[in-house]
Amino acid sequence: MNRYQPVSTPPGSEPGSRTAQRPFGRPLAYVRTSAATVDELDGTRWREQGSCAGHPRGGWFEDTRTPAAHTARRICARCPVRRRCLAASLLYGEEYGIWGGLDPEQRELLHARLRDGKPLRAVVDDAVPPALVHLPRPLGGDAA
């Protein structure tokens, strides 16, 4: 799939929904995080709380230069689960789409830090400081 082709419904999603209702798969071996974080990020509950869940159409999987993609980023900027979304995309190596407000090229810079051994939480904290996003509940351990 070409990353610049629009995708109407991401694989594993219900038609008309922007949230995947399937487990992500296998975490990338080089990502340092706890088993509890992996369990939390692989679940679907946090995804249902995402701002994108209420938008049946959006630019999350369109060319990152389009107005729709810019709108998607603005929605992500106010999302209560933005940090979890970004963390999940990094943990599972999502290649396509805007996740946590970042496109694939932006996430690749974060992957370089993860490959250098930086913990997932630290990488997410640097990319999206906790003070910038309202979290629905406090996170324990190293959950992102």
Side-chain angles (χ1 to χ4, degrees), residues 8-98:
S8 59
T9 304
S13 295
E14 295 296 320
S17 170
R18 298 305 305 168
T19 51
Q21 299 300 317
R22 58 154 175 83
F24 279 100
R26 180 170 288 162
L28 297 175
Y30 59 82
V31 178
R32 291 181 45 212
T33 195
S34 69
T37 297
V38 172
D39 286 345
E40 178 182 349
L41 295 177
D42 195 43
T44 59
R45 187 172 183 195
W46 69 265
R47 293 182 245 177
E48 295 165 357
Q49 299 169 1
S51 297
C52 61
H55 290 271
R57 295 182 180 243
W60 287 273
F61 290 90
E62 296 200 20
D63 183 321
T64 59
R65 300 165 293 195
T66 65
H70 292 288
T71 298
R73 284 181 206 225
R74 283 194 301 277
I75 292 167
C76 290
R78 298 182 311 271
C79 182
V81 295
R82 180 180 181 190
R83 292 169 40 79
R84 286 184 182 95
C85 180
L86 177 59
S89 74
L90 295 170
L91 180 64
Y92 295 102
E94 288 292 339
E95 296 180 62
Y96 305 105
I98 296 171

